[in-house]
Amino acid sequence: MSNSPKHLGVAYTSEIEKLEKRWAENPKGRNFAPLADAYRKAGELDRALELCTAGLERHPDYVSAHIVFGRCLIDQKNDSGASEVFRKVLSLDPENVLALKILADIAERGGRYDEAAEWLGRLLSADPMNGDAAEALTRAKGRAAQAAAKRAPEPVARLVPEAAPPQPHRDLVIEHASEEPASPSLDVKGAPADIETFDGTLDFNAVAHSAAKADGIEVQEEVELKPQDLVVEGLAHTQYETGFFGAPPDTAEQDDGPKTGRRSICR
């Protein structure tokens, strides 16, 4: 019975009346924020937003009033406006856990899982023992990985036609030389008929020889040299054996004796 809508309406009405009386006593004070939050819970979003706007003009650094204002925008499904308000909260209080949590929820609803993971990471830095934030961070990272895999373009297979083999040029003839080196050849032509060749032999015509002598032509006689035995005696023999042999120049001149067939050898 205590949780019935009628009872809740009576409770909100009683709370709103109390807050309105307090705010009326000091309309320029900060009592507007609790009253605006009571209007929000009662579903009177327009009255709540009007009160927050007027109160924040007088108290722009009032963090609690900004939070109430942002929640009113969330109830109106205005996530973009609420995001700006809660970013303002973080500019005033960088470790505000409530603002970090709401910004992570807004990013996740918009499918921006990477952004949600960033906000949750900051929340855990401010509140390391927050188990709900740790679970939410794991979930956000997993969804971010799935979203990245879906965004990755699938490989497109391209059919590339095979290149046609090159056609040989019809007017071009290529001759392949033999790999074996050709031996140089000498072109020897036959000797002319009017050139006599010498075969190394000399013919002797006895009749022509005699006729030439009869006509008074000097003809060189063919001399046949016959080897003779060499007889060496006395001192010459000793010098010959020792390899030192030589006759004095005047010895040959004074030797007028008869020729005995012995010959002296001069070196």
Side-chain angles (χ1 to χ4, degrees):
M1 183 67 178
S2 59
N3 293 331
S4 63
K6 184 178 179 180
H7 182 267
L8 290 175
V10 173
Y12 282 132
T13 301
S14 176
E15 183 69 18
I16 288 173
E17 290 178 352
K18 186 189 299 184
L19 292 172
E20 285 178 345
K21 184 179 180 179
R22 187 181 300 174
W23 176 74
E25 293 176 355
N26 186 13
K28 294 183 181 180
R30 292 189 173 187
N31 293 325
F32 70 94
L35 178 59
D37 194 39
Y39 287 151
R40 182 187 69 83
K41 292 177 181 178
E44 298 182 17
L45 295 177
D46 293 339
R47 294 182 65 181
L49 289 171
E50 183 181 356
L51 190 59
C52 284
T53 302
L56 286 172
E57 288 180 357
R58 291 189 294 267
H59 305 280
D61 297 336
Y62 190 15
V63 174
S64 297
H66 284 290
I67 291 175
V68 173
F69 186 34
R71 282 182 167 177
C72 291
L73 294 174
I74 289 175
D75 291 345
Q76 286 186 336
K77 309 299 181 183
N78 186 0
D79 284 352
S80 60
S83 178
E84 293 180 2
V85 173
F86 284 105
R87 289 173 184 270
K88 174 65 177 177
V89 173
L90 291 178
S91 67
L92 299 173
D93 182 10
E95 294 185 353
N96 190 287
V97 176
L98 182 60
L100 292 170
K101 176 64 171 62
I102 292 175
L103 285 170
D105 292 341
I106 293 173
E108 188 173 0
R109 283 197 298 270
R112 302 185 302 274
Y113 301 108
D114 291 334
E115 181 183 344
E118 292 179 3
W119 293 123
L120 290 169
R122 290 182 58 178
L123 195 158
L124 285 173
S125 297
D127 185 10
M129 302 304 295
N130 193 326
D132 294 338
E135 293 179 2
L137 177 60
T138 302
R139 183 173 61 253
K141 287 183 177 180
R143 292 179 178 177
Q146 294 177 359
K150 291 181 180 180
R151 289 193 301 267
E154 297 181 359
V156 179
R158 294 183 178 179
L159 297 178
V160 180
E162 295 182 359
Q167 298 295 331
H169 200 282
R170 295 182 179 180
D171 299 334
L172 180 62
V173 178
I174 300 176
E175 295 182 357
H176 296 279
S178 175
E179 295 181 357
E180 297 181 358
S183 300
S185 60
L186 298 177
D187 187 8
V188 180
K189 298 181 180 180
D194 57 349
I195 299 178
E196 295 181 357
T197 57
F198 178 69
D199 56 0
T201 61
L202 295 176
D203 295 334
F204 179 75
N205 192 330
V207 177
H209 183 70
S210 300
K213 291 179 64 179
D215 293 338
I217 299 175
E218 183 179 358
V219 179
Q220 184 177 1
E221 297 288 345
E222 183 178 4
V223 180
E224 181 179 0
L225 298 178
K226 296 181 180 180
Q228 297 180 359
D229 295 335
L230 178 64
V231 179
V232 181
E233 296 178 353
L235 178 60
H237 177 72
T238 303
Q239 293 178 347
Y240 175 77
E241 292 294 335
T242 59
F244 180 78
F245 181 79
D250 54 351
T251 303
E253 296 177 357
Q254 296 176 2
D255 189 5
D256 297 332
K259 308 298 183 180
T260 59
R262 299 176 181 173
R263 297 181 180 178
S264 60
I265 300 176
C266 299
R267 293 184 65 182

